[in-house]
Amino acid sequence: MIEMVSKGLATLEVSLKHSGSLFMYAGNEGGAYAKNSFGNIYTAVGVFVLGRMFHEAWGTKAGEKQAQFNDFIERNRMCISMELVTAVLGDHGQRPREDYAVVTAVTELGNGKPKFYSTPEVIAFCRKWRLPTNHIWLFSTRKSVTSFFAAYDVLCEEGTATSVCRALDEVADISVAGSKCHIKVQGEILEGLVARIVSHESSKHMDEVLNDHPPPPADGAGIDLGPSLREICAANRSDEKQQIKALLENVGSSFCPDHSDWYDAHSRNADRSVLSKFLQAHPADYSTTKLQEMIRLMREKRFPAAFKCYHNFHKAESVSSDNLFYKMVIHVHSDSGFRRYQKEMRQKPGLWPLYRGFFLDINLFKANKERAAEIAKCNNDLVGLINNGNGISTRDGLADDDANLMIKLKFLTYKLRTFLIRNGLSILFKDGPAAYKAYYLRQMKIWGTSAGKQIELSKMLDEWAVYIRRKCGNKQLSSAIYLSEAEPFLEQYAKRSPENQALIGCAGNLVRTEDFLAVVEGGRDEEGDLSLEREAAAASISPSVKDTIRKDEGLIVFFPGIPGCAKSALCRELLNTPGGLGDGRQVDSLMGDLVKGRYWPKVADERRRKPYSIILADKNAPNEEVWKQIENMCHSTKASAVPVIPDSEGTDSNPFSLDALAVFMFRVLQRVNHPGNLDKASPNAGYVLLMFYHLYEGKSRKYFEDELVERFSSLVKMPLLKPDRSPLPLSLRSVLEEGINLYNLHTNRHGRLESTKGTYAQEWAKWEQKLRDTLSANAEYLNSVQVPFEFAVQQVVEQLRKIVRGEYTVPSTEKKKLGTIVFAAVNLPVAEIQSLLDKMSGKNDNIKAFLKDKHMENILRKAHVTLAHKRSHGVTAVASYGLYLHRQVPVELTALLFTDKMAALEAQLGSIDDEKIVSKNEWPHVTIWTGEGMAPKEANTLPQLLSEGKATLVEINPPITISGTLEFY
């Protein structure tokens, strides 16, 4: 990032992150939307606040300007996105002093593709219409960018709005004050900053906009605008509908003449067939073509998303049997969906991007021949215009628009309120102070909070836990109004010392909300800020393994796997391992196939009966529901849990590859007399394996592993397949893909009905036989690609013993990253590295002796040259490689350095587009092996050890060049 700015290639743009909710407005007919919904209290509050801001800005002209604004954005197919900050929708980090919104994005659909306005364009647009804008800083030199990150590093644990804004004003090249002063309308507690790379021309463009568009006046200042949002909510407390009605009536008909989105909500759900009809319809314009392409891909790839269709009552007067109008909400359930879609975009640059908060207006109509021909001609002309680059774009895709790195930088004074106090309430009241302490320590560890602040926060949070439980008893404090209790407590705590004041940041002047809080029916929460049990659970209450696995506690070893992954065979070996796991504790196993009734309550009973033992939970644990049960069991029975998973490359949508699935099926169909009746005699064994396989659908391997690490702070991988194996035979791949397609057809029609029943029963019988025949024909291959079982057991035992001894290092995960990035590296193909080592071993006796008995074909699973690491080199150093993401980089390997504890290949990086790729490490290398207890990063010391005569160097002459891809991890 720094390099890009210093070379004049980009500018760093930083804006304030207000503590609010996403609100989008597309005009009266276009509609008002929250993150994944419309027609509810969230959007009614948003419309009221936006309407009130027009009155404040335009005074007596507000009605006229509101109508013009609606007409303008509807005519130009625009959507305005805002951060809605209000005290009536529940507590965030600090209750705002005023209810307001700031515009964060302006989008124009136009005729070709969506256009997101640049920040200077957003400011020009907002000043024209007198809409509130955010505080923006631009950093266009190397000095200013490095100064910004240094300032954040200093302020991240104690910064408040005053100190942060003052520091950024001093170091920024351009500072544009927001329409709303955060200190006056929100308060001193600042949620964070959003930093992103923008065009280097942005600074010049911003200067022009500021000169051409001075801050607008506020003609409504001093005018009586009628009852405020809080007064209206306080006067209408019976139910949500009453509050919505009162808010919309007070907005006025000039801004919101049509209330059908809210009042007709009970009857707006459309038939499910609407989606199919939409996808089958001939597109009337280019936008529809691209949206159909997007939705088809998401459905075909089984993305974790819902496509909800509703009747559009704004168009009720135009509806006929041949002319139908709907609204569609695309609700992506999991962040993995966005990651998977971004990968698809890299493969298909023409795809339009997917965003959180995606709403479509759909018009299904029948056209006569003349009209259809006219539409087709217009579409062809538009596509040609786009492809030829005349006026719209040389590319029809928007992938590059999303490529810019965006970093959210949050402040500890906000996080302690929102994440440590509010999100910990359910844990504190349900599981008790010990579980709460484990939760907040875990959170601080994830954030990388300094040791000193961890001590200070622990003292304060322990006191908070005693205070609030004593005051509330067994009745949990509502997270919607938690600040009513937390703010007075924090204020008193801050007064005790300057250190406490710095820790808290600012407290006092509490705005009381109990009398005007909006009524949210059905437990809904648009931003995830009111119903937090799932969020708290997902954040993991388990402290780090090193801190918790002691002899006075229990340990649960469990298996997120698939039948055939050898968990029962592994459990038998673990039971018979001399010395157990090395700490003298009893090891017991509970086999799921032999347990009658519900399995996990039986495990909990066993835990209580033998509280200090190690229990092997011999049952597949495939999803978050089971993992949550295990987490709860850990808290209630004082234990830690360790997941053991089969090692597999996985796919974009499943943590297990087809190669692994083939081996699992092969193993199952070799069984006889299996206690769970899943063996060669089972007529639907293949279907059962596919059912388990699809329980993991929607999770990439990375997401799967990260989720387990986040929950349980550990992960043991059981070797499964040899890395240098031949590709999966085509016949095996074909029969597995055929089964997956049949499974999708079956479940789409019959749900969880057994395969021996239903429409496809005969197809299933044929496929099951075909599967057996194909597996049998490829038996030699399937046996040859598996690592020896004895080696797999040995690896698992070693990993478990490290965990028990407290020598385990928690791996980095995506959730530990600012954004999604921890380090940048050039990823190299393992097979080529292994081939090089084999050749060197054949030519050099020292290398041959060194590699002997190291099982490199099983140990060497990944190979990369680290370019920069967030912890070692900083966020900006990592981000500076974004320009070359997914590009091929030649890597020249020049020597092998090794000791009896580690080995690495010396590397020299090549260029991309004549630009030399330079690693931030002093000694670029590929770590290929480390001994037990030796961290891979210690390989950095090999050159020093060589100079001291403590390491061996063997030159690679001539050097070998291997190409890899530059990736973020």
Side-chain angles (χ1 to χ4, degrees):
M1 185 180 290
I2 297 175
E3 295 299 324
M4 291 174 68
V5 173
S6 64
K7 291 178 181 179
L9 301 175
T11 292
L12 179 69
E13 178 187 285
V14 177
S15 58
L16 287 182
K17 175 69 177 76
H18 295 253
S19 298
S21 304
L22 175 63
F23 172 67
M24 294 169 286
Y25 187 73
N28 182 61
E29 287 202 8
Y33 305 93
K35 186 166 64 176
N36 289 307
S37 65
F38 66 101
N40 52 34
I41 188 64
Y42 296 95
T43 53
V45 168
V47 167
F48 178 87
V49 171
L50 182 58
R52 177 55 58 95
M53 289 191 300
F54 263 94
H55 282 281
E56 294 171 352
W58 293 98
T60 56
K61 296 181 180 179
E64 174 188 349
K65 291 297 179 180
Q66 287 171 338
Q68 292 175 3
F69 179 72
N70 273 333
D71 178 67
F72 180 82
I73 63 175
E74 287 170 12
R75 184 164 23 91
N76 291 281
R77 306 171 78 186
M78 300 176 71
C79 181
I80 317 300
S81 298
M82 287 162 271
E83 193 77 30
L84 174 63
V85 184
T86 172
V88 308
L89 293 176
D91 287 341
H92 287 254
Q94 183 180 34
R95 286 180 187 163
R97 295 168 179 171
E98 298 179 16
D99 303 303
Y100 67 98
V102 291
V103 175
T104 54
V106 177
T107 317
E108 183 179 314
L109 182 56
N111 293 317
K113 67 173 187 178
K115 174 192 174 184
F116 279 80
Y117 281 23
S118 67
T119 300
E121 290 172 334
V122 169
I123 291 176
F125 174 86
C126 289
R127 289 189 173 182
K128 172 186 175 182
W129 291 102
R130 301 188 184 180
L131 295 173
T133 55
N134 205 350
H135 200 146
I136 305 292
W137 295 270
L138 292 178
F139 304 83
S140 55
T141 65
R142 184 185 186 91
K143 180 180 178 181
S144 64
V145 172
T146 53
S147 297
F148 161 70
F149 283 105
Y152 174 74
D153 286 342
V154 172
L155 294 167
C156 64
E157 292 191 336
E158 296 183 352
T160 58
T162 296
S163 59
V164 171
C165 291
R166 182 188 299 124
L168 298 194
D169 284 342
E170 291 175 357
V171 300
D173 296 304
I174 295 178
S175 176
V176 185
S179 306
K180 301 285 186 179
C181 174
H182 191 287
I183 299 163
K184 293 180 180 179
V185 295
Q186 171 85 67
E188 282 287 358
I189 300 304
L190 178 60
E191 178 172 339
L193 302 168
V194 178
R196 67 188 186 114
I197 287 291
V198 296
S199 166
H200 186 65
E201 297 296 318
S202 187
S203 297
K204 179 182 178 182
H205 191 185
M206 184 69 79
D207 282 330
E208 294 172 354
V209 166
L210 296 180
N211 288 330
D212 296 342
H213 301 273
D219 293 344
I223 297 177
D224 183 6
L225 303 178
S228 68
L229 172 65
R230 302 180 189 190
E231 290 170 339
I232 294 171
C233 288
N236 297 272
R237 299 283 296 162
S238 62
D239 59 29
E240 180 178 341
K241 290 181 180 179
Q242 184 192 24
Q243 285 187 335
I244 290 172
K245 181 179 180 181
L247 289 170
L248 297 179
E249 288 176 349
N250 276 274
V251 168
S253 59
S254 59
F255 191 56
C256 189
D258 190 338
H259 301 171
S260 57
D261 272 352
W262 291 273
Y263 296 164
D264 294 320
H266 63 282
S267 61
R268 68 184 181 208
N269 285 31
D271 187 89
R272 289 186 177 182
S273 64
V274 171
L275 179 60
S276 297
K277 292 175 182 176
F278 170 68
L279 294 177
Q280 293 167 7
H282 294 289
D285 56 25
Y286 182 73
S287 300
T288 304
T289 302
K290 303 306 293 182
L291 292 168
Q292 286 176 325
E293 180 184 23
M294 169 194 292
I295 296 171
R296 284 195 190 100
L297 182 137
M298 293 176 69
R299 295 189 78 201
E300 289 169 2
K301 300 286 186 177
R302 298 178 65 85
F303 276 39
F307 305 92
K308 303 175 183 177
C309 296
Y310 306 91
H311 293 289
N312 186 348
F313 289 100
H314 288 286
K315 304 289 187 179
E317 295 181 358
S318 302
V319 171
S320 68
S321 59
D322 294 339
N323 195 34
L324 303 173
F325 296 88
Y326 302 97
K327 288 179 180 287
M328 181 190 294
V329 180
I330 301 178
H331 183 184
V332 181
H333 296 302
S334 168
D335 286 344
S336 66
F338 293 102
R339 290 194 293 272
R340 289 170 57 192
Y341 193 85
Q342 287 165 1
K343 289 183 179 180
E344 294 289 339
M345 288 179 67
R346 288 194 285 271
Q347 297 171 10
K348 303 174 183 178
L351 278 175
W352 277 9
L354 177 66
Y355 296 100
R356 200 180 299 278
F358 216 130
F359 302 85
L360 311 177
D361 279 346
I362 297 174
N363 177 204
L364 295 176
F365 62 91
K366 289 184 179 180
N368 57 37
K369 291 182 179 180
E370 291 76 13
R371 173 74 171 132
E374 179 185 347
I375 291 171
K377 183 179 184 304
C378 289
N379 281 345
N380 290 335
D381 291 344
L382 183 57
V383 172
L385 186 67
I386 292 170
N387 291 338
N388 293 329
N390 296 323
I392 299 177
S393 172
T394 57
R395 299 184 304 272
D396 62 353
L398 297 179
D400 289 345
D401 291 358
D402 260 5
N404 294 332
L405 180 67
M406 179 180 289
I407 307 172
K408 291 183 179 180
L409 304 166
K410 296 198 175 185
F411 293 94
L412 186 60
T413 50
Y414 167 84
K415 292 192 288 188
L416 77 87
R417 289 163 165 81
T418 303
F419 299 110
L420 301 186
I421 294 180
R422 187 194 67 177
N423 291 13
L425 286 172
S426 63
I427 298 168
L428 175 60
F429 280 89
K430 290 184 179 181
D431 300 319
Y436 176 60
K437 188 179 186 72
Y439 164 73
Y440 71 65
L441 287 174
R442 174 70 177 147
Q443 286 297 105
M444 288 191 283
K445 183 172 183 178
I446 291 172
W447 297 335
T449 306
S450 66
K453 286 297 180 186
Q454 287 196 45
I455 294 171
E456 293 178 40
L457 282 171
S458 296
K459 180 181 177 183
M460 186 270 288
L461 292 169
D462 287 345
E463 189 172 323
W464 158 256
V466 172
Y467 166 82
I468 197 62
R469 280 172 60 89
R470 183 180 297 155
K471 185 164 186 179
C472 295
N474 294 324
K475 184 179 180 181
Q476 180 180 326
L477 174 66
S478 169
S479 58
I481 56 170
Y482 83 98
L483 286 173
S484 294
E485 298 295 343
E487 198 72 19
F489 169 83
L490 294 173
E491 182 180 11
Q492 292 301 314
Y493 194 87
K495 290 178 179 178
R496 298 181 194 173
S497 69
E499 292 78 15
N500 286 3
Q501 181 65 59
L503 178 72
I504 301 304
C506 180
N509 299 319
L510 177 68
V511 177
R512 299 203 63 83
T513 63
E514 285 79 352
D515 294 333
F516 58 73
L517 194 70
V519 180
V520 181
E521 296 178 348
R524 263 192 352 266
D525 178 29
E526 196 57 42
E527 288 294 314
D529 291 314
L530 300 180
S531 180
L532 296 159
E533 291 186 27
R534 184 180 182 279
E535 179 182 343
S540 176
I541 307 168
S542 301
S544 68
V545 169
K546 188 170 183 177
D547 295 335
T548 61
I549 296 186
R550 305 192 304 265
K551 291 184 179 181
D552 61 347
E553 293 186 357
L555 176 64
I556 304 168
V557 179
F558 69 102
F559 303 90
I562 292 175
C565 66
K567 65 183 180 307
S568 296
L570 174 63
C571 288
R572 287 193 294 270
E573 293 295 326
L574 293 176
L575 285 173
N576 297 324
T577 298
L581 296 185
D583 67 346
R585 278 185 291 177
Q586 179 179 343
V587 180
D588 297 308
S589 179
L590 195 62
M591 189 175 187
D593 293 318
L594 299 179
V595 172
K596 295 181 179 179
R598 298 173 62 196
Y599 177 79
W600 295 107
K602 298 280 187 180
V603 176
D605 292 341
E606 190 72 10
R607 282 281 315 114
R608 295 185 186 95
R609 197 167 64 87
K610 300 178 181 178
Y612 308 126
S613 69
I614 297 171
I615 186 166
L616 308 176
D618 184 5
K619 183 179 178 65
N620 288 302
N623 53 35
E624 286 90 342
E625 182 180 350
V626 174
W627 302 344
K628 179 62 167 62
Q629 290 185 58
I630 296 171
E631 285 182 297
N632 291 338
M633 199 186 311
C634 289
H635 308 148
S636 62
T637 66
K638 200 178 180 183
S640 297
V642 177
V644 178
I645 62 173
D647 203 358
S648 169
E649 298 93 337
T651 69
D652 290 345
S653 60
N654 199 294
F656 298 105
S657 65
L658 290 182
D659 305 55
L661 179 60
V663 169
F664 296 154
M665 288 183 167
F666 180 65
R667 290 174 175 177
V668 166
L669 291 172
Q670 286 184 313
R671 294 172 175 173
V672 291
N673 299 321
H674 183 259
N677 297 320
L678 185 61
D679 51 32
K680 65 189 303 181
S682 306
N684 63 339
Y687 165 78
V688 173
L689 268 291
L690 288 174
M691 181 179 67
F692 271 93
Y693 184 74
H694 278 79
L695 290 175
Y696 297 92
E697 189 68 17
K699 298 182 180 71
S700 68
R701 183 69 183 191
K702 183 68 175 171
Y703 180 87
F704 173 65
E705 292 185 5
D706 287 354
E707 185 71 19
L708 288 169
V709 170
E710 285 296 324
R711 288 175 179 269
F712 302 103
S713 302
S714 62
L715 187 65
V716 170
K717 297 182 181 181
M718 183 177 181
L720 175 66
L721 301 171
K722 296 177 180 178
D724 59 347
R725 65 187 182 277
S726 302
L728 190 68
L730 183 59
S731 59
L732 272 176
R733 179 175 295 276
S734 177
V735 76
L736 292 177
E737 290 176 346
E738 183 182 334
I740 289 171
N741 291 335
L742 182 57
Y743 181 86
N744 291 334
L745 288 172
H746 176 87
T747 53
N748 285 340
R749 173 164 292 191
H750 300 297
R752 301 182 65 179
L753 185 70
E754 294 180 9
S755 62
T756 54
K757 304 173 183 178
T759 309
Y760 304 100
Q762 291 184 359
E763 285 85 348
W764 275 118
K766 293 177 182 177
W767 179 80
E768 292 278 359
Q769 185 58 52
K770 183 177 180 180
L771 173 67
R772 286 159 172 75
D773 294 342
T774 307
L775 291 172
S776 177
N778 289 278
E780 183 178 352
Y781 168 83
L782 292 167
N783 283 318
S784 68
V785 298
Q786 301 179 50
V787 300
F789 180 65
E790 296 76 12
F791 173 78
V793 172
Q794 177 190 349
Q795 292 294 304
V796 171
V797 171
E798 288 180 6
Q799 292 175 73
L800 287 173
R801 284 179 173 173
K802 280 186 178 180
I803 290 173
V804 168
R805 291 195 301 264
E807 298 174 357
Y808 177 82
T809 302
V810 180
S812 297
T813 71
E814 286 196 355
K815 293 183 182 179
K816 293 184 180 180
K817 305 168 189 175
L818 284 177
T820 59
I821 301 165
V822 167
F823 67 95
V826 177
N827 188 32
L828 298 173
V830 172
E832 294 189 40
I833 298 292
Q834 185 65 56
S835 175
L836 171 63
L837 294 175
D838 291 342
K839 291 177 182 178
M840 295 181 69
S841 179
K843 295 179 181 180
N844 189 292
D845 291 338
N846 287 336
I847 296 178
K848 184 176 181 180
F850 172 74
L851 294 177
K852 184 180 178 181
D853 300 327
K854 290 203 168 45
H855 304 288
M856 294 300 293
E857 68 277 6
N858 295 321
I859 291 174
L860 187 59
R861 299 305 184 92
K862 296 178 181 178
H864 65 261
V865 181
T866 299
L867 301 174
H869 196 286
K870 184 182 74 175
R871 294 197 183 104
S872 303
H873 310 102
V875 172
T876 54
V878 176
S880 67
Y881 296 98
L883 186 64
Y884 311 110
L885 193 60
H886 314 306
R887 300 286 301 277
Q888 288 282 312
V889 183
V891 178
E892 189 176 73
L893 303 176
T894 59
L896 173 65
L897 280 71
F898 61 91
T899 69
D900 60 344
K901 295 182 179 179
M902 54 191 165
L905 292 164
E906 186 174 68
Q908 293 185 7
L909 296 160
S911 301
I912 299 177
D913 298 335
D914 298 324
E915 185 73 26
K916 177 74 172 176
I917 301 300
V918 179
S919 172
K920 299 299 187 290
N921 277 339
E922 291 185 12
W923 184 58
H925 63 277
V926 183
T927 303
I928 61 170
W929 174 81
T930 57
E932 186 171 349
M934 183 65 61
K937 68 178 182 179
E938 295 301 320
N940 284 294
T941 64
L942 279 168
Q944 178 65 30
L945 294 173
L946 179 66
S947 68
E948 297 171 359
K950 298 177 181 178
T952 301
L953 179 146
V954 178
E955 290 187 352
I956 303 173
N957 193 9
I960 298 295
T961 299
I962 298 176
S963 289
T965 55
L966 198 155
E967 302 288 352
F968 284 152
Y969 296 92

